[in-house]
Amino acid sequence: MARRAGPTPVPIPGAGAPHAVAPGGMAPGGAAPPATARAPRHPWFAAARRILLVAAIAFVLGGLTSWGQLVLPPETASLANSAGGWTVPTAILVLLLARGYPEAAVAGAGGFVALTLGYAVASGWRGIAFDPTTWAIIGALAGPVIGCAAHAMRRRGMQLVLGTSVLAGVLVGEGVYGLTVVADTTSGVWWWIELVLGAGVLVAGALRARPWGLALVALTGTLLVAGLFWSAFVLLPILVFRG
């Protein structure tokens, strides 16, 4: 007499061929069933980590700026007391690490503020009182602009032109300021270096600009930003440190 067959298993849609599972949830051969894939982390977690990395490195560089005023030779001592000396490392950090304009803006602001705080801490260790409030506010306002300009250097078209104009304009503007306003009290070596760096940024951006007419826009924007920067630095001591 034939044995009655048991109920036919019903396949699960999308499950493919049925697999036998041993008692206790073990697959044949004693292998454990595949583990459930871990949910990916939120993209903001990675962004926050990159921003914190920019701020941490900037804090160290700010402290080195204070110590640099002691050890740098007189010809390059202005590097440790210039906006360009902080703009360059902040822009490089944002250029390398930031992903997108919002992240670049926050990283730029955080980088500049961290530079100021690092400078204040190192100056305090040296026995020099330095109130970071004013420059931290300035950095919080200017940092997003520098951060977005640095990130724009990775793009094309008008975005590249605007980023080039801002970064090159800041360096050229401060270089001209150093050679015309504070030339009697500082060495001109660093100011000339800033001019060369600014010209290098302008050339690098202009060579990548398409169509070629955008190169002229980059040059015009650089001269405009440089003029505004020069005027701001001339007026800043009057507005901030008067009285």
Side-chain angles (χ1 to χ4, degrees), residues 133-202:
T133 304
T134 298
W135 290 107
I137 294 175
I138 294 174
L141 296 176
V145 178
I146 298 299
C148 289
H151 183 69
M153 295 294 293
R154 305 179 64 174
R155 302 301 180 91
R156 295 285 184 176
M158 187 56 68
Q159 297 181 66
L160 170 64
V161 167
L162 293 176
T164 299
S165 299
V166 170
L167 295 181
V170 168
L171 295 173
V172 171
E174 188 175 43
V176 173
Y177 169 83
L179 293 174
T180 58
V181 178
V182 295
D184 294 337
T185 58
T186 61
S187 170
V189 173
W190 169 246
W191 310 126
W192 281 110
I193 292 176
E194 273 201 283
L195 285 174
V196 173
L197 290 175
V201 172
L202 174 59

